[in-house]
Every structure is written in structure tokens, then in C-alpha cells.
């Protein structure tokens, strides 16, 4: 047995994708495989560690029952309509129904050119593969809906990204790869039949209780609101919240120029291409609403009374604010050890964040110190705020906080150290860091403690880059 495929997207009309196989690589070599995820997917663990599996994850061998294809989608990128996009360096091998009954995609990233590559080589260099592996698995461990990494392999080939760099392929697992942009491209082409098929498929796959396009919109609004609230609670900045990176399944997808904040700054931007700060930390909820408005626009042609639908869909999108605010209070309330967070706690939460911003306090370390009963360092106004907090927090607040505040995250400078070492052929730092960040709440022993430290000024990473 290799991979127990049970494909459904490939059974849709060809207007949604192009059938294409991965391009083989010269000399695939295993970097990492995810035994725990493989077990959920029903993939034989012994096979996972064989050269046969490495060949599959490199794209050199197609497993039985695979239906390889590149998905079509469009999208707004930094607010501008880019027209047709699509999987330019990724190929969906197929789907599996896991031991938990959930259907998931298995996709190869960096698997060669497709008709949607727009002149690119369809490959990935090693750095983005390791970054996505580390960050997506850490996000999963912290309870954030996310795509996951099943395997990473080297290709034995070089790719050119301003210089020659080692190539790699990531095997990504997702609840699906349907995006806002998947709907947008068919709306732009005025292909109502395709929109109708896609909406029905998405409802059946992700939200079977949703009542038509309006119900689908409601479900995606709620999923995105809850997802972004969890990002905010970790100081996570996606970096490129284009509509083609907005998953209808409500998962974090496409870890390009992403990063976790060190010092708290609501206007923080890491992406080297986000020169205007569109996707800054504090802007993420508003951008999610903007993206959802584009989904609503794409769904309007499916409604019998389109004028009435515009007003109705606007009301539904505006519900995002209340759902998000409630989720945000729940997330940060848990981080502060509140027993039953309520809307009235928003001021307490925001006042702490204001103090942190004024003091350049490290986001993760501040909450970690509070969890351990320690005062944050050098925070004027801390004592007055603490008096308010003490009167509000639960008796067992330390236990609540310990489940909500990771002690370690994939800090940017550590990720860069891993990538630098791996580029030179040393993967030991990657494996050490992976072990640490996938146990984010575990006690800090001697081996784990360095990963909890904020960067020294000379170690700070101020910009991250797109994986392409």
C-alpha cells in the first residue's frame, strides 16, 4: 500500500484544472516525513520511510490511483485584480479520506512547471520548503487551522533565485485548496455554470449544513473570523493575504513571507513586497473582510435576485466584526487566564497590548512570563494594569494560561539559522527545531530554552520573502 487515494475534485469538469504530472527530479533525497500525519491519513508508516516514498514525494513516481492536476484560480494581489493565476509550482496528486473521516488533499509544491507558471520554473528552493514545514506544523501544534507538511525532499538540482540554490519539494496536506480566487476566476469569465458546480462541491465538501450560496458565505465568514483571531493571539503575520491565499476551508494556507512578531507592534510588516503595509498585523481582520467581499461578489451571479443579494450579502459580511471580536476576546481572555471572557474584557486586553507596544515588549515572551507568574520587564504602567487584571482573572489562571500561551514559536531568526545550515547540507538544526516548535507548551529544559529567547539586535529578521 502507498497512498489510499479517493479523488473527487478530479471528477469535476476540466474547466477547474489542467491534468498534468509532476516533472521528475535528478536525485531525490528525504529530509523529513511526518509519521503522525501519515497515521491520520491512513498511509503505511513503514512505506513512508522507504526510497519508494521519497520518489513519490519528489514527483518521480505517481502512486496508484493518483489523479495529478494543477488547479485554476484567479485573485486580487495587494488589492489589484491579477486575472488568471493557478497552481504555477504545485500539483495536486489526489485526496484521501483519513482515519478520522475527513477528506484531505495531498499536493506537491515545487513539482515543476504547469500551464499556470507564467514563465516560472515551477520549482522551489530549499528555504521556503523548510519554512513552511516548520511554521505549518507549529501552527497545528498551537491549535490553529492550517495546511500541514507530510514530507520534504531535496531534488539533487539547483534553482536560480538571484543565485543558485538547492531545490526541494514539499508535500502539503490541506482540507482542500479551494480559495476565494477559485470562485473569482469563474465569476470574471461569467461562467455561471462553473460557479454553480463549484459552490455545490464546496458546500458538500466543507459545509454540508450550509443552505446555498448565502449559507456558504456565512460559513466562510465565520471560519475566517475565528482563524484570524487565532493568528492575532500568536502575533502571527501572514504577509500576503491575497484572495488566492484565502482558503474557503478556513485554514492558514501559503506560508510565504510570513512571520511571528518579536517586539509587539500593531503596524508590523515583514513581507519584503508589502511596501505600503497593506498586510500589517493590525490590518489582518480588515483584509479578511475585504477578501470575503470579493467572495460575495463572485457568488452574486448564482442568486435569482441579484440586487437583493447585494444588500443581503453585505449584511452577512458585516457579521464578521461581531464574530471576530467575540473570538478575539476568547483567544486573549484565555491568554490572560480569564475564566469566562466577556466583551467587557476587551478594554483590559487592549490596554495590555498598548502597554506592550509602548515598551517594545516581546509578544510571546511577555505572555510566557505572565503565565509563569513573573512581571514583564520594563513596562511602565504594569502595576496599575496588574491590579485590574488580578481582580478579573480566574483562581486557576495559571492553568488556563499554560494552555493558551506557547513558550516557543518558530522565531524568524531561528528559522533563518535552520535554512542557512540546511543550504550548506546540515539538516540537524532543522530536525532539532521541528521537535521543539511542535511541542510549544512543554516545559523549557536546557535544550528547548534557547528557542524561547527573543533575538539579539544583531539577530533580528526585518524582512521575509515570497517562496517563489
Amino acid at each position: 500500500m502507498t497512498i489510499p487515494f479517493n479523488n473527487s475534485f478530479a471528477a469535476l469538469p476540466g474547466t477547474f484544472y489542467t491534468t498534468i504530472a509532476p516533472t521528475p527530479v535528478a536525485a531525490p533525497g528525504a529530509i523529513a516525513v511526518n509519521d503522525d500525519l501519515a497515521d491520520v491519513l491512513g498511509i503505511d508508516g513503514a512505506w513512508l520511510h522507504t526510497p519508494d516514498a521519497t520518489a513519490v514525494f519528489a514527483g518521480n513516481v505517481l502512486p496508484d490511483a493518483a489523479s495529478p492536476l494543477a488547479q485554476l484560480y484567479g485573485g486580487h494581489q495587494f488589492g489589484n485584480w491579477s486575472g488568471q493565476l493557478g497552481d504555477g509550482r504545485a500539483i495536486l496528486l489526489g485526496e484521501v479520506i483519513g482515519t478520522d473521516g475527513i477528506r484531505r488533499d495531498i499536493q506537491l509544491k515545487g513539482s515543476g512547471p504547469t500551464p499556470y507558471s507564467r514563465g516560472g520554473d515551477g520549482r522551489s528552493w530549499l528555504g521556503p520548503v523548510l519554512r513552511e514545514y516548520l511554521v505549518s506544523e507549529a501552527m497545528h501544534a498551537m491549535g490553529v487551522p492550517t495546511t500541514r507538511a507530510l514530507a520534504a525532499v531535496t531534488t539533487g538540482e539547483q534553482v536560480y533565485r538571484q543565485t543558485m540554490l538547492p531545490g526541494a519539494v514539499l508535500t502539503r496536506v490541506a482540507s482542500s485548496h479551494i480559495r476565494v480566487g477559485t470562485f473569482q476566476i469563474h465569476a470574471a469569465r461569467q461562467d455561471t455554470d462553473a460557479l454553480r458546480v463549484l459552490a455545490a462541491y464546496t458546500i458538500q465538501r466543507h459545509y454540508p449544513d450550509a443552505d446555498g450560496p448565502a449559507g456558504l458565505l456565512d460559513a466562510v465568514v465565520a471560519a475566517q473570523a475565528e482563524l484570524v483571531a487565532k493568528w492575532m493571539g500568536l502575533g502571527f503575520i501572514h504577509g500576503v493575504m491575497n484572495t488566492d491565499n484565502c482558503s474557503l476551508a478556513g485554514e492558514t494556507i501559503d506560508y510565504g513571507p510570513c512571520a511571528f512578531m518579536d517586539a509587539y507592534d500593531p503596524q508590523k510588516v515583514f513581507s519584503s513586497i508589502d511596501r505600503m503595509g497593506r498586510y500589517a498585523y493590525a490590518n489582518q481582520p480588515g483584509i479578511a473582510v475585504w477578501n470575503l467581499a470579493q467572495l460575495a461578489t463572485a457568488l452574486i451571479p448564482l442568486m435569482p435576485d441579484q440586487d437583493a443579494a447585494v444588500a443581503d450579502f453585505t449584511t452577512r459580511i458585516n457579521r464578521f466584526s461581531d464574530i471576530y471580536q467575540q473570538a478575539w476576546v476568547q483567544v486573549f481572555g484565555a491568554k490572560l487566564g480569564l475564566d469566562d471572557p466577556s466583551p467587557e474584557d476587551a478594554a483590559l486586553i487592549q490596554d495590555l497590548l498598548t502597554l506592550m507596544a509602548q515598551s517594545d515588549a516581546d509578544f510571546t515572551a511577555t505572555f510566557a512570563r505572565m503565565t509563569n507568574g513573573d512581571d514583564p520587564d520594563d513596562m511602565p504602567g504594569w502595576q496599575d494594569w496588574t491590579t485590574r487584571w488580578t481582580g478579573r482573572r480566574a483562581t486557576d489562571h495559571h492553568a488556563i494560561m499554560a494552555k493558551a500561551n506557547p513558550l516557543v514559536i518558530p522565531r524568524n531568526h531561528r528559522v533563518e539559522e535552520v535554512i542557512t545550515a540546511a543550504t550548506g547540507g546540515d539538516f540537524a538544526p532543522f530536525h532539532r527545531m521541528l521537535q521543539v516548535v511542535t511541542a510549544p507548551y512543554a516545559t523549557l529544559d536546557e535544550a528547548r530554552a534557547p528557542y524561547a529567547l527573543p533575538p539579539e539586535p544583531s539577530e533580528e529578521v526585518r524582512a521575509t520573502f515570497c517562496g517563489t
Side-chain angles (χ1 to χ4, degrees):
M1 184 191 79
T2 55
I3 301 176
F5 285 115
N6 182 299
N7 304 323
S8 63
F9 194 87
L12 296 178
T15 188
F16 297 108
Y17 57 83
T18 297
T19 300
I20 186 170
T23 303
V25 303
I31 301 171
V33 290
N34 191 332
D35 291 280
D36 291 340
L37 178 55
D39 187 56
V40 172
L41 296 175
I43 296 174
D44 179 53
W47 173 82
L48 198 68
H49 294 266
T50 66
D52 288 346
T54 301
V56 168
F57 297 140
N60 283 22
V61 174
L62 281 177
D64 294 340
S67 298
L69 58 88
Q71 292 186 340
L72 168 68
Y73 50 84
H76 280 87
Q77 299 185 319
F78 291 89
N80 299 308
W81 175 243
S82 297
Q84 178 178 297
L85 298 170
D87 289 331
R89 62 184 184 118
I91 290 176
L92 176 66
L93 290 182
E95 305 151 29
V96 298
I97 299 175
T99 56
D100 55 2
I102 297 175
R103 179 181 294 274
R104 295 179 178 88
D105 286 356
I106 297 180
Q107 181 196 70
L108 301 183
K109 288 188 66 178
S111 51
T114 77
Y116 312 118
S117 296
R118 295 184 292 170
D121 60 14
R123 293 301 189 186
S124 176
W125 79 275
L126 180 62
V129 167
L130 298 184
R131 177 184 297 277
E132 180 159 348
Y133 202 120
L134 287 168
V135 178
S136 65
E137 286 304 299
M139 292 284 266
H140 172 73
M142 292 185 286
V144 180
T146 178
T147 61
R148 297 190 63 188
L150 176 61
V153 300
T154 54
T155 64
E157 300 174 350
Q158 299 281 300
V159 297
Y160 182 74
R161 301 291 185 268
Q162 298 180 315
T163 187
M164 299 305 293
L165 295 163
V169 178
L170 176 77
T171 303
R172 179 165 73 182
V173 174
S175 292
S176 83
H177 287 83
I178 302 170
R179 311 148 187 266
V180 170
T182 313
F183 282 82
Q184 285 184 285
I185 189 63
H186 300 293
R189 294 176 175 179
Q190 300 182 340
D191 190 343
T192 306
D193 290 340
L195 283 174
R196 187 171 291 108
V197 170
L198 183 61
Y201 176 82
T202 305
I203 289 170
Q204 181 182 30
R205 181 160 178 177
H206 293 302
Y207 307 107
D209 295 331
D211 184 8
L216 173 61
L217 181 61
D218 284 343
V220 178
V221 166
Q224 284 292 320
E226 292 166 5
L227 174 66
V228 175
K230 290 183 177 182
W231 289 358
M232 303 297 276
L234 294 172
F236 176 74
I237 302 171
H238 185 280
V240 61
M241 288 179 66
N242 297 329
T243 58
D244 56 296
N245 294 335
C246 182
S247 162
L248 265 71
E251 293 181 330
T252 316
I253 191 171
D254 287 332
Y255 291 93
C258 66
F260 292 84
M261 282 193 294
D262 294 311
Y264 177 70
D265 176 2
Q267 298 307 315
K268 185 64 178 176
V269 174
F270 282 96
S271 171
S272 63
I273 56 177
D274 191 4
R275 297 180 179 88
M276 303 302 293
R278 176 180 174 86
Y279 299 140
Y281 171 81
N283 292 349
Q284 293 181 131
I287 292 297
V289 173
W290 195 93
N291 289 345
L292 290 164
Q294 311 318 307
L295 174 62
T297 300
L299 291 172
I300 289 292
L302 297 180
M303 304 305 290
D305 185 339
Q306 295 187 15
D307 290 337
V310 170
D312 178 48
F313 282 12
T314 299
T315 299
R316 293 173 188 272
I317 291 170
N318 287 339
R319 292 173 186 162
F320 178 97
S321 179
D322 288 342
I323 299 170
Y324 168 78
Q325 185 65 18
Q326 182 178 3
W328 182 85
V329 168
Q330 291 295 318
V331 167
F332 277 92
K335 292 177 75 66
L336 294 181
L338 307 187
D339 199 5
D340 185 20
S342 68
E344 290 72 28
D345 292 314
L348 180 70
I349 298 165
Q350 188 56 59
D351 288 348
L352 172 61
L353 294 175
T354 299
L355 291 177
M356 291 168 61
Q358 293 170 347
S359 305
D360 290 327
D362 185 88
F363 185 90
T364 303
T366 295
F367 286 102
R369 282 196 291 266
M370 292 171 66
T371 301
N372 293 330
D374 300 326
D375 289 349
D377 298 331
D378 302 322
M379 192 182 291
W382 168 252
Q383 293 303 327
D384 290 341
W385 183 87
T386 299
T387 300
R388 295 164 56 198
W389 176 44
T390 302
R392 180 65 186 90
R393 67 195 185 193
T395 303
D396 60 342
H397 62 280
H398 287 301
I400 297 172
M401 295 171 73
K403 296 177 181 179
N405 293 314
L407 303 183
V408 292
I409 55 171
R411 289 190 179 268
N412 313 317
H413 67 297
R414 292 295 187 190
V415 174
E416 292 301 323
E417 289 173 358
V418 163
I419 292 172
T420 298
T423 302
D426 181 6
F427 289 97
F430 165 78
H431 289 287
R432 285 196 296 269
M433 185 170 180
L434 180 63
Q435 187 174 28
V436 170
V437 299
T438 52
Y441 306 103
T443 303
L444 296 178
D445 57 20
E446 184 178 352
R448 292 170 50 80
Y451 292 92
L453 297 175
E456 296 294 333
S458 62
E459 297 175 316
E460 287 184 22
V461 174
R462 295 181 172 84
T464 54
F465 301 88
C466 180
T468 54

XYZ file of all heavy atoms in Angstrom, residues 291-322:
244
model
N -11.428 40.465 1.561
C -11.388 39.227 0.780
C -12.768 38.571 0.717
O -13.173 38.047 -0.334
C -10.377 38.250 1.390
C -8.942 38.687 1.185
O -8.652 39.558 0.372
N -8.028 38.093 1.935
N -13.471 38.580 1.831
C -14.800 37.978 1.859
C -15.781 38.740 0.975
O -16.694 38.137 0.384
C -15.309 37.923 3.304
C -14.569 36.921 4.200
C -14.861 37.197 5.666
C -14.928 35.488 3.834
N -15.574 40.042 0.865
C -16.412 40.824 -0.047
C -16.185 40.395 -1.494
O -17.125 40.386 -2.307
C -16.122 42.314 0.120
N -14.963 40.009 -1.812
C -14.684 39.526 -3.173
C -15.347 38.167 -3.401
O -15.841 37.883 -4.505
C -13.170 39.412 -3.413
C -12.354 40.645 -3.027
C -13.007 41.945 -3.435
O -13.372 42.160 -4.604
N -13.157 42.852 -2.474
N -15.382 37.327 -2.377
C -16.100 36.051 -2.490
C -17.585 36.307 -2.707
O -18.222 35.686 -3.578
C -15.890 35.206 -1.234
C -16.713 33.911 -1.158
C -16.353 32.970 -2.295
C -16.516 33.227 0.193
N -18.142 37.219 -1.929
C -19.559 37.536 -2.069
C -19.871 38.029 -3.475
O -20.875 37.629 -4.083
C -19.957 38.588 -1.033
N -19.019 38.880 -3.999
C -19.214 39.392 -5.358
C -19.225 38.252 -6.373
O -20.021 38.244 -7.312
C -18.103 40.402 -5.702
O -18.153 41.488 -4.771
C -18.263 40.935 -7.116
N -18.352 37.280 -6.166
C -18.285 36.150 -7.095
C -19.512 35.250 -6.986
O -19.873 34.574 -7.956
C -17.019 35.335 -6.826
N -20.158 35.243 -5.823
C -21.329 34.389 -5.621
C -22.630 35.045 -6.084
O -23.638 34.347 -6.293
C -21.457 34.014 -4.137
C -20.385 33.071 -3.569
C -20.541 32.958 -2.056
C -20.452 31.702 -4.221
N -22.634 36.359 -6.247
C -23.855 37.086 -6.614
C -24.536 36.522 -7.865
O -25.768 36.394 -7.898
C -23.550 38.592 -6.797
C -23.267 39.246 -5.443
C -24.695 39.312 -7.501
C -24.449 39.339 -4.517
N -23.785 36.151 -8.924
C -24.454 35.641 -10.130
C -25.301 34.392 -9.899
O -26.140 34.059 -10.749
C -23.286 35.354 -11.085
C -22.189 36.257 -10.620
C -22.332 36.307 -9.132
N -25.094 33.711 -8.787
C -25.867 32.499 -8.504
C -27.221 32.815 -7.877
O -28.048 31.904 -7.723
C -25.073 31.588 -7.558
C -23.738 31.059 -8.096
C -23.059 30.179 -7.053
C -23.954 30.274 -9.386
N -27.458 34.066 -7.521
C -28.681 34.423 -6.810
C -29.771 34.872 -7.788
O -29.484 35.611 -8.744
C -28.391 35.529 -5.797
C -27.280 35.167 -4.813
S -27.576 33.604 -3.919
C -28.951 34.117 -2.874
N -31.012 34.465 -7.573
C -32.090 34.818 -8.510
C -32.375 36.309 -8.572
O -32.683 36.837 -9.639
C -33.286 34.021 -7.977
C -32.945 33.702 -6.554
C -31.469 33.571 -6.504
N -32.299 36.992 -7.424
C -32.480 38.446 -7.382
C -31.151 39.055 -6.971
O -30.844 39.168 -5.779
C -33.591 38.812 -6.397
C -33.916 40.307 -6.399
O -33.053 41.096 -6.838
O -35.028 40.674 -5.966
N -30.369 39.466 -7.950
C -29.007 39.891 -7.660
C -28.958 41.208 -6.902
O -28.072 41.418 -6.072
C -28.203 39.965 -8.959
C -28.036 38.590 -9.614
C -27.103 38.602 -10.804
O -26.350 39.540 -11.008
N -27.166 37.544 -11.607
N -29.883 42.123 -7.159
C -29.895 43.386 -6.422
C -30.176 43.137 -4.941
O -29.510 43.705 -4.057
C -30.952 44.333 -6.995
C -30.571 44.859 -8.367
O -29.355 44.860 -8.679
O -31.471 45.249 -9.139
N -31.148 42.296 -4.668
C -31.446 41.959 -3.272
C -30.289 41.213 -2.634
O -29.996 41.387 -1.438
C -32.720 41.119 -3.195
N -29.604 40.385 -3.433
C -28.478 39.613 -2.903
C -27.325 40.514 -2.483
O -26.633 40.226 -1.504
C -28.010 38.604 -3.942
N -27.101 41.602 -3.208
C -26.023 42.528 -2.841
C -26.249 43.050 -1.425
O -25.337 43.061 -0.584
C -25.931 43.683 -3.847
C -24.984 44.772 -3.323
C -25.449 43.170 -5.200
N -27.461 43.498 -1.143
C -27.767 44.006 0.188
C -27.671 42.906 1.236
O -27.119 43.107 2.333
C -29.163 44.632 0.195
N -28.206 41.734 0.903
C -28.182 40.614 1.846
C -26.759 40.167 2.137
O -26.380 39.963 3.303
C -28.999 39.456 1.275
C -28.985 38.239 2.184
O -29.207 38.396 3.401
O -28.730 37.126 1.677
N -25.950 40.022 1.104
C -24.577 39.567 1.293
C -23.754 40.600 2.062
O -22.865 40.249 2.837
C -23.923 39.267 -0.056
C -24.342 37.948 -0.658
C -25.414 37.231 -0.153
C -23.656 37.417 -1.746
C -25.804 36.020 -0.705
C -24.032 36.202 -2.309
C -25.101 35.501 -1.788
N -24.036 41.879 1.848
C -23.337 42.919 2.603
C -23.611 42.772 4.098
O -22.693 42.865 4.932
C -23.770 44.313 2.125
O -23.446 44.459 0.742
C -23.068 45.405 2.927
N -24.859 42.507 4.445
C -25.213 42.282 5.841
C -24.487 41.068 6.405
O -23.975 41.094 7.537
C -26.732 42.077 5.978
O -27.400 43.260 5.525
C -27.123 41.797 7.416
N -24.413 40.017 5.616
C -23.754 38.795 6.081
C -22.255 39.027 6.295
O -21.677 38.523 7.269
C -23.995 37.666 5.081
C -25.462 37.223 5.010
C -25.703 36.216 3.879
N -27.125 35.951 3.693
C -27.819 35.025 4.344
N -27.206 34.250 5.231
N -29.112 34.858 4.113
N -21.615 39.766 5.408
C -20.189 40.048 5.572
C -19.950 40.923 6.797
O -18.958 40.747 7.522
C -19.634 40.713 4.302
C -19.629 39.704 3.153
C -18.208 41.226 4.536
C -19.335 40.331 1.825
N -20.859 41.853 7.037
C -20.702 42.740 8.190
C -20.807 42.005 9.519
O -20.424 42.550 10.561
C -21.724 43.868 8.127
C -21.400 44.894 7.054
O -20.247 44.996 6.621
N -22.390 45.646 6.613
N -21.301 40.770 9.506
C -21.335 39.973 10.727
C -19.938 39.539 11.153
O -19.727 39.089 12.285
C -22.213 38.734 10.517
C -23.696 39.058 10.358
C -24.486 37.814 9.985
N -25.886 38.122 9.695
C -26.698 37.326 9.025
N -26.248 36.147 8.573
N -27.951 37.677 8.785
N -18.992 39.627 10.234
C -17.609 39.256 10.551
C -17.140 39.969 11.806
O -16.501 39.363 12.675
C -16.688 39.601 9.380
C -15.227 39.312 9.622
C -14.654 38.137 9.165
C -14.413 40.203 10.316
C -13.309 37.860 9.387
C -13.075 39.933 10.543
C -12.525 38.758 10.080
N -17.423 41.263 11.920
C -16.905 42.066 13.024
C -17.303 41.494 14.370
O -16.461 41.333 15.269
C -17.395 43.511 12.896
O -16.908 44.285 13.976
N -18.574 41.157 14.534
C -19.031 40.622 15.817
C -18.443 39.242 16.094
O -18.042 38.936 17.221
C -20.556 40.547 15.842
C -21.208 41.925 15.942
O -20.510 42.888 16.332
O -22.397 42.030 15.615
